Amino acid sequence: MRYAALVAASLMLIQSAYAEKTPDIDPRASLGVVQQWIYNYRAKPDYAHVPAAVRVLFHSQSFKEPENAGIYLGFIAGAIGSNPEKAEQLIAGFFPVPPEDEWVVVRAIAYSGLPDWRNILRRVAPRMPARHVMIDSYLAGKLPTLTDIPLEEAKPGMLDRLRGAFTRNPFAKEDRKLNTTLTFAGNQDLLDTLWGYYFATGSHVPIQRIMQMLPWSKSRDTVDKLTIGAMARYTLASYAIRDAGLREFLRSELARQPAPVKAPLGEVVEAADTVQIAALRKDALAAVDELKTKGSDSRRNLDFWGQVGVGAVALGCVSAAALGQVAVGIPCVIGGSASQGLLSFWEKQP
């Protein structure tokens, strides 16, 4: 009875009429109901109730761990970008925002894809004075928007590497600098963000970006790229099984994509058509095992083994798993051990 009451309260929150004022958050609201609502949103957009759903996400502390909140961030960004004329009204409906979650509103505006996102962010900025550094960084172009994030860092050319080899003092002690460069290859949560944007809009733009990661599922260069490529392939197949429109779009792209994308995309389409994605999981597991056994194609030194040892394979939460258990059955390893990562996740699957 208690569970039924919670679900009923959540449904009332999401389905209640939204006029000038967003309804107050109900402390009994169910995150699961909102997750299901988000997943089904693109089939029947319910723009008026987005603020209520976002308030549930804030109340449920869904953004406590930013690396596991990509799918919600992407959904909010997509919702903002889907209706430019009402974007500011929608954003106003999010407030009051918990101070610790204000970064979500800032980033969602920057990621929205709206041509006028900078002016919108300037107008909203007075409501979030504690986030002025982040806001200024986006306005100045120091932080990239979602469409400006590169797939991976540009590798130095041969001349640059030779120059560095001859000018660097091999005996000098070098301070290790924190690499804050944002790339899809180095940030698994960005894959989730693209899925969230798709759920909000049904746009194929984020899907095309995800397809660009598919060649990494065949990579034997770095563990990060292999992991993200494998999850791009796995989630595309998982969602396409349940989304006929997505399945047809992926099939139509087979003839247009270059060979490195076409091969794994063909595997995705076949797995979705036959509802057999276990093979994708097994293939990725075998690839990771091969990396552990033989090392990367480009370097087989102690640095690589150290990278594996400290958990470069770790998923934390498998891509799109924030919705997975409720909506699409993708298992989630929230708070998973960083030393286990992808291997521990897939080894536990039937």
Side-chain angles (χ1 to χ4, degrees):
M1 293 296 292
R2 177 178 172 80
Y3 176 78
L6 293 176
V7 173
S10 301
L11 286 169
M12 290 176 62
L13 174 65
I14 298 302
Q15 296 173 353
S16 59
Y18 174 78
E20 294 297 324
K21 182 180 178 182
T22 302
D24 292 335
I25 196 71
D26 188 330
R28 299 171 297 171
S30 167
L31 178 61
V33 170
V34 177
Q35 291 173 334
Q36 187 71 54
W37 182 82
I38 287 174
Y39 178 70
N40 293 317
Y41 183 88
R42 65 195 181 281
K44 189 177 180 181
D46 188 10
Y47 192 79
H49 297 122
V50 171
V54 172
R55 298 283 290 278
V56 172
L57 295 177
F58 288 145
H59 181 75
S60 303
Q61 296 187 325
S62 302
F63 302 97
K64 183 178 181 180
E65 298 182 16
E67 290 185 353
N68 289 340
I71 205 154
Y72 303 130
L73 171 64
F75 178 82
I76 297 172
I80 292 172
S82 67
N83 196 333
E85 295 181 357
K86 297 183 178 179
E88 291 190 64
Q89 178 184 348
L90 176 66
I91 295 167
F94 300 156
F95 288 89
V97 177
E100 64 272 17
D101 291 334
E102 289 177 345
W103 69 269
V104 177
V105 178
V106 176
R107 186 160 293 167
I109 294 173
Y111 281 10
S112 67
L114 290 174
D116 196 36
W117 70 267
R118 283 187 174 85
N119 286 329
I120 293 175
L121 187 55
R122 288 190 184 99
R123 289 192 286 270
V124 177
R127 305 190 70 166
M128 300 178 289
R131 288 295 173 185
H132 71 92
V133 173
M134 185 180 186
I135 293 172
D136 292 344
S137 295
Y138 273 116
L139 294 177
K142 295 178 181 178
L143 290 175
T145 62
L146 187 60
T147 55
D148 290 334
I149 298 172
L151 284 175
E152 55 186 314
E153 287 188 75
K155 296 182 179 179
M158 181 61 71
L159 290 177
D160 291 330
R161 282 181 286 180
L162 286 173
R163 188 180 299 112
F166 286 113
T167 58
R168 184 174 64 251
N169 182 352
F171 301 103
K173 183 178 180 181
E174 297 183 7
D175 293 331
R176 185 178 180 86
K177 295 182 178 180
L178 182 65
N179 185 2
T180 57
T181 303
L182 197 61
T183 66
F184 282 95
N187 296 270
Q188 297 165 9
D189 60 297
L190 289 175
L191 177 60
D192 288 340
T193 303
L194 291 174
W195 277 116
Y197 200 100
Y198 171 71
F199 292 151
T201 63
S203 168
H204 289 148
V205 173
I207 301 301
Q208 290 171 332
R209 193 63 160 166
I210 294 172
M211 286 193 297
Q212 291 179 309
M213 305 175 200
L214 287 176
W216 297 344
S217 66
K218 308 296 183 181
S219 172
R220 298 301 182 269
D221 186 26
T222 70
V223 177
D224 281 343
K225 289 171 65 174
L226 173 59
T227 299
I228 295 174
M231 292 316 304
R233 185 176 61 168
Y234 186 83
T235 52
L236 278 170
S238 297
Y239 287 126
I241 287 175
R242 299 162 176 82
D243 187 334
L246 175 59
R247 193 162 61 248
E248 290 304 316
F249 173 74
L250 296 177
R251 185 180 292 106
S252 71
E253 286 293 308
L254 281 171
R256 303 188 185 100
Q257 294 298 323
V261 174
K262 187 174 182 179
L265 180 58
E267 296 169 349
V268 168
V269 172
E270 181 179 0
D273 283 338
T274 59
V275 195
Q276 295 185 29
I277 61 174
L280 301 182
R281 184 174 62 240
K282 292 177 181 178
D283 178 68
L285 178 59
V288 174
D289 279 337
E290 182 181 355
L291 271 176
K292 290 185 68 178
T293 303
K294 299 181 179 179
S296 67
D297 291 343
S298 61
R299 57 188 231 185
R300 299 184 181 185
N301 55 32
L302 293 177
D303 288 342
F304 173 77
W305 297 113
Q307 181 187 24
V308 174
V310 298
V313 191
L315 290 180
C317 187
V318 173
S319 285
L323 291 182
Q325 292 175 312
V326 173
V328 294
I330 300 176
C332 187
V333 189
I334 296 178
S337 169
S339 63
Q340 297 292 325
L342 185 62
L343 289 173
S344 67
F345 163 64
W346 268 315
E347 284 174 347
K348 293 177 182 177
Q349 304 311 304

